[in-house]
Amino acid sequence: MSDELVIDVAGLTKSFGGRKVVDNFDLKVPRGAIYGFLGPNGSGKTTTIRMVCGLLKPESGSGRVLGLDVLSDSRRIKERVGYMTQKFSLYEDLSIRENLEFIARLYGLDRRGERVDQALADLGLAERQHQVAGKLSGGWKQRLALAACMIHEPDLLLLDEPTAGVDPKARRDFWDQIRRYSAQGVTTLVSTHYMDEAVQCDSIAYIAYGKKLLDAPTADIPGKIGLRAWRVAGRPLQQAQALLERSPGVELVARFGAEIHVCGHDGALIAAAAARASAAYPHVKIEEIEAGFEEIFIYLMAGSADNFQ
Amino acid sequence: MKLPAIPALHLPELDISWARVMAVFLKELVQMRRDRPTFAIMIAMPIMQLVLFGYAINTDPRHLPAVVEMREDGPMTRAFLASLRASSFVDIVAVARREEEAEAMLRSGRVSYIVAIPEGFERRLVRGERPQILIAADASDPVAAGGAIGAIEAVARTAFAPEFEGALAHLAREPPPYEIVVQRRYNPAGISAFNIVPALLGIILTMTMTMITSIALTREAERGTMENLLATPVRPLEVMIGKTTPYVFVGAVQVVIVLLVSSLLFQIPFTGSMLAFVIGVGLFIFANLMLGYLISTAARTQMQAMQMTFFVFMPAILLSGFMFPFRAMPDWAQAIGEALPITHFLRIVREVVLKAAGLPDIVGDLGPLALITLVLAAAALLRFRRTLD
Ligand SMILES: Nc1ncnc2c1ncn2[C@@H]1O[C@H](COP(=O)(O)OP(=O)(O)O)[C@@H](O)[C@H]1O
Ligand SMILES: [Mg+2]
């Protein structure tokens, strides 16, 4: 059962106004996985997620979600999917409890009061249950939204940038919660911009301009990209950075606190550039390090900037 | 034994869960209660409109339908009938031989007048006994009634003038050798408020019921809550029933307000069957909710929904018989009017409130009203977007 695919779609394509926003997208997510979905703004993440849960009709492509046909069986898919929208989409003029009761009724749940109480307790919302949702801060709204999409105990969670604009503590709590669900066998597809969240995923799909550029287990990604990195520290850092940025073979220069990381694929060219920088600025130290996710994703993002046109 | 399924008759759209309908209904009810300003307007609007509109709108009606009740057929009465036919004030739609026939036409609203010529009219005219020509006018619309009564007197004068010659020349005198008796039916004093106020109920319900539901779905789309709603297993029909039902109560409150104001402020008697009234008004509220819901499937923003509501509101005022006597309108306008729920409602409410009508009297308008409601509901369901496309 463990290698059963919960999402298995292929060739998903969607255009808006004649522009392909998602282009021939394939995705296979095994049961229980936490699958990260990364890409710059406007790259088509939300559109893809909406097609997976039947909120948008793909113009081509096919596949199965939870073993059901993604094109023709969206009603039954919806019964077993919890979808957390990018923008808060519960009722701001209803209280936390009223929102949860509403959702629980829509799914026709038994023991409704009990379940709502449980959801409120799990997410630490019990004391605020009579507060109107519109008055909540971002972190609390996000907890409410998660509670709402979990209340019918879905088999698949689709989370669209669930932690955008939420403080670090709340983000950590949120991810602890996601991992607990995952341990219970819930499958999660989550889009995010945060690298510390990306590395917590089992696998990552990276999308830009509607096309999937990368899809691999998280641990395999550094090897796949083959990016090499050098750490540069000391003074004068600014001038050394300027020199390195102009050197051939340097594909990425990123600042990390008091040091900069220089990345590229051609080790010889970068070594030469490093030698030149050391000669020019003797107090600057340069050494090769292992390329991390930060570097890899900054590198990927730099290649595709924001996708809005 | 289980009956075999009949696939051709199985409509999945009608397979609804009342629990989900209840979910949407309760949610909408809470939201409605929290939206205090809108709620206040819904209550204040009928009172304000009643007070502002309570007085007549002057019009110059022509071509009002009439039935002539001819109990005698002679050269003079034929001349009178010919003049009536030639007049632009009234349109003779029928000539009745029996009183009941003519009365039924007046009550059902098919005609605005009965012009009755009694038996022995000519004989008594010649003898100088001043026979009567009876005009029974449907004064529930006093504008319509008042206009043509004077006109018929003029028609009679010109019709009889050529007859009063030679041996009958002595009849050409003032006052004329006959008497025109006018009976105002249903609203004897000819008070225009009697006509306007019940009709205003139609206008108020059209405006508020349509508007409030027309923004119901667009508000969800605009605030982004539609995305969440569509991600759940809820079905279009469940959303429609759940979202519109709370407003039935608002409509009921408005009806009570209008009835109270019309009886307390304008002393309008309620003469007909309460059951007929409740059925008529209930169906009419439903028709408007469906119209509003249909609009909200077409509008992208709440602003658009409001504009579309006003767009359909104009013909409701102009072509329903509210502003101008319906039968005096050109045929094309009457054809449009027949397709509007309010046209049928105005007839129902005038008949029931002013003409003491019961359920059987209003069936002719309940039928079309039900049909219009059904068409609107079906169109709204078909147009409901199941996805965000
Ligand atoms: N309903 C829509 N109508 C028109 N364009 C849309 C619609 N939804 C998304 N887009 C466009 O599609 C592109 C991808 O959007 P989206 O899927 O929201 O990207 P992401 O979630 O990765 O930021 C963007 O350029 C966006 O403007
Ligand atoms: Mg998005």
Side-chain angles (χ1 to χ4, degrees):
Chain A
M1 271 300 264
S2 64
D3 57 307
E4 171 201 345
L5 292 177
V6 167
I7 300 179
D8 184 7
V9 292
L12 291 188
T13 302
K14 184 80 190 174
S15 305
F16 287 118
R19 189 164 60 91
K20 278 192 180 160
V21 161
V22 174
D23 190 1
N24 207 8
F25 189 91
D26 304 341
L27 190 65
K28 289 186 198 305
V29 179
R31 188 173 139 87
I34 301 179
Y35 222 93
F37 197 9
L38 274 68
N41 285 324
S43 56
K45 301 182 295 295
T46 299
T47 305
T48 304
I49 292 174
R50 284 173 174 171
M51 284 192 281
V52 168
C53 69
L55 279 177
L56 285 175
K57 274 249 170 294
E59 58 200 53
S60 60
S62 62
R64 300 197 153 257
V65 172
L66 294 159
L68 300 162
D69 190 289
V70 73
L71 297 178
S72 60
D73 234 350
S74 60
R75 179 121 52 204
R76 277 161 70 202
I77 293 176
K78 285 172 184 177
E79 282 170 9
R80 294 171 54 198
V81 166
Y83 171 41
M84 183 167 161
T85 55
Q86 181 172 352
K87 183 177 165 290
F88 183 72
S89 61
L90 291 167
Y91 298 92
E92 305 224 333
D93 47 353
L94 297 188
S95 72
I96 293 177
R97 188 174 189 99
E98 285 162 347
N99 269 300
L100 292 177
E101 295 251 2
F102 172 61
I103 301 290
R105 279 202 175 89
L106 282 188
Y107 285 101
L109 302 179
D110 57 348
R111 300 182 289 112
R112 203 174 49 242
E114 225 175 285
R115 283 178 199 262
V116 170
D117 286 338
Q118 188 59 45
L120 289 167
D122 281 354
L123 293 140
L125 289 166
E127 283 145 51
R128 296 165 171 263
Q129 57 176 294
H130 297 299
Q131 203 168 325
V132 169
K135 297 243 166 76
L136 298 173
S137 69
W140 287 104
K141 274 187 179 164
Q142 168 248 35
R143 281 183 192 216
L144 169 58
L146 182 66
C149 73
M150 285 304 299
I151 198 153
H152 61 296
E153 296 171 11
D155 299 313
L156 171 62
L157 272 182
L158 301 173
L159 310 174
D160 195 0
E161 295 192 33
T163 55
V166 168
D167 68 68
K169 160 91 169 58
R171 274 177 36 197
R172 240 186 342 266
D173 293 348
F174 188 87
W175 274 86
D176 287 345
Q177 192 71 39
I178 298 301
R179 267 195 305 275
R180 274 198 292 277
Y181 291 140
S182 169
Q184 294 162 17
V186 176
T187 309
T188 306
L189 175 64
V190 52
S191 74
T192 179
H193 282 305
Y194 295 107
M195 293 313 134
D196 60 322
E197 293 182 3
V199 299
Q200 300 195 48
C201 298
D202 304 317
S203 291
I204 287 172
Y206 184 88
I207 184 174
Y209 293 110
K211 288 202 169 66
K212 196 169 73 176
L213 302 183
L214 176 72
D215 187 354
T218 311
D220 299 353
I221 287 179
K224 278 205 161 177
I225 301 290
L227 198 65
R228 292 172 67 183
W230 280 260
R231 180 190 2 240
V232 181
R235 278 160 190 281
L237 201 54
Q238 205 67 46
Q239 282 87 334
Q241 179 174 352
L243 189 148
L244 286 163
E245 271 170 353
R246 286 194 306 270
S247 303
V250 172
E251 293 167 52
L252 174 78
V253 178
R255 184 112 196 187
F256 285 79
E259 53 193 45
I260 53 178
H261 294 186
V262 175
C263 308
H265 285 86
D266 190 330
L269 279 176
I270 295 182
R276 252 176 292 131
S278 303
Y281 308 107
H283 295 292
V284 168
K285 256 181 58 193
I286 304 182
E287 58 178 338
E288 182 159 9
I289 54 170
E290 204 167 306
F293 280 97
E294 293 281 346
E295 289 89 345
I296 289 168
F297 286 108
I298 293 172
Y299 165 77
L300 283 172
M301 296 268 193
S304 45
D306 267 7
N307 287 166
F308 293 109
Q309 290 169 340
Chain B
M1 200 190 93
K2 254 181 88 174
L3 286 170
I6 310 166
L9 284 181
H10 183 245
L11 290 169
E13 285 313 324
L14 300 181
D15 237 4
I16 63 172
S17 137
W18 289 104
R20 286 197 294 257
V21 170
M22 200 60 179
V24 179
F25 167 77
L26 289 174
K27 172 226 125 198
E28 203 68 19
L29 198 64
V30 172
Q31 286 190 303
M32 185 179 85
R33 275 211 335 255
R34 298 231 163 113
D35 190 359
R36 289 277 160 75
T38 306
F39 201 65
I41 287 172
M42 291 299 130
I43 303 303
M45 176 120 88
I47 299 175
M48 198 185 78
Q49 288 202 351
L50 282 170
V51 172
L52 292 182
F53 264 96
Y55 301 95
I57 299 158
N58 243 332
T59 50
D60 176 23
R62 281 169 182 266
H63 293 291
L64 286 162
V67 55
V68 179
E69 190 186 318
M70 288 271 271
R71 306 267 202 82
E72 177 171 287
D73 199 2
M76 277 190 209
T77 51
R78 275 199 298 273
F80 177 56
L81 182 59
S83 296
L84 275 177
R85 286 194 198 279
S87 149
S88 69
F89 289 99
V90 292
D91 284 347
I92 305 301
V93 297
V95 177
R97 295 284 162 201
R98 290 184 314 127
E99 191 181 346
E100 306 83 78
E101 224 180 298
E103 290 290 330
M105 290 176 83
L106 186 69
R107 193 167 46 246
S108 72
R110 265 195 63 204
V111 296
S112 300
Y113 305 99
I114 301 173
V115 180
I117 298 169
E119 236 171 295
F121 178 81
E122 286 193 24
R123 184 166 39 87
R124 296 173 59 202
L125 188 74
V126 173
R127 284 195 206 150
E129 288 176 15
R130 290 205 87 210
Q132 293 184 336
I133 296 176
L134 177 75
I135 300 176
D138 176 356
S140 67
D141 186 344
V143 179
I149 289 169
I152 289 173
E153 282 174 6
V155 167
R157 223 174 266 277
T158 45
F160 291 122
E163 305 290 327
F164 300 159
E165 274 175 3
L168 296 176
H170 64 283
L171 293 174
R173 59 178 161 85
E174 282 304 323
Y178 51 85
E179 193 180 358
I180 293 185
V181 178
V182 175
Q183 277 181 4
R184 292 169 190 272
R185 300 276 179 86
Y186 314 124
N187 178 9
I191 303 169
S192 55
F194 275 31
N195 175 53
I196 296 282
V197 171
L200 215 47
L201 178 59
I203 294 294
I204 291 164
L205 287 174
T206 301
M207 176 111 157
T208 54
M209 293 292 98
T210 309
M211 185 170 317
I212 204 165
T213 37
S214 76
I215 59 175
L217 272 183
T218 37
R219 187 176 50 202
E220 302 247 5
E222 222 173 71
R223 294 188 186 167
T225 52
M226 193 57 142
E227 186 170 6
N228 212 327
L229 196 62
L230 290 179
T232 72
V234 76
R235 291 171 186 231
L237 184 59
E238 294 159 356
V239 176
M240 183 162 94
I241 299 175
K243 280 190 86 77
T244 53
T245 311
Y247 302 115
V248 173
F249 297 117
V250 176
V253 171
Q254 293 183 326
V255 171
V256 170
I257 291 175
V258 171
L259 286 183
L260 284 179
V261 171
S262 34
S263 112
L264 297 178
L265 217 62
F266 296 101
Q267 279 86 39
I268 297 172
F270 187 100
T271 61
S273 140
M274 195 37 113
L275 176 70
F277 180 77
V278 168
I279 291 177
V281 94
L283 196 54
F284 179 62
I285 287 176
F286 217 63
N288 282 306
L289 293 177
M290 290 306 114
L291 177 62
Y293 202 74
L294 179 62
I295 289 176
S296 80
T297 62
R300 295 250 164 204
T301 62
Q302 294 188 61
M303 191 52 136
Q304 278 180 10
M306 299 278 243
Q307 285 166 345
M308 289 188 204
T309 304
F310 276 107
F311 185 77
V312 299
F313 189 56
M314 290 316 284
I317 288 193
L318 297 175
L319 304 181
S320 62
F322 173 75
M323 195 80 128
F324 312 113
F326 191 81
R327 300 288 173 202
M329 297 193 309
D331 288 345
W332 62 266
Q334 290 195 28
I336 299 174
E338 290 289 349
L340 302 172
I342 187 169
T343 305
H344 301 282
F345 177 71
L346 290 187
R347 290 181 199 153
I348 291 173
V349 80
R350 281 175 181 160
E351 280 174 44
V352 173
V353 175
L354 301 174
K355 300 191 198 172
L359 204 48
D361 299 308
I362 62 166
V363 166
D365 282 305
L366 282 180
L369 193 52
L371 184 69
I372 295 169
T373 310
L374 218 70
V375 169
L376 289 171
L381 268 186
L382 288 177
R383 285 201 46 94
F384 184 88
R385 286 188 286 270
R386 281 142 233 264
T387 62
L388 293 170
D389 285 276

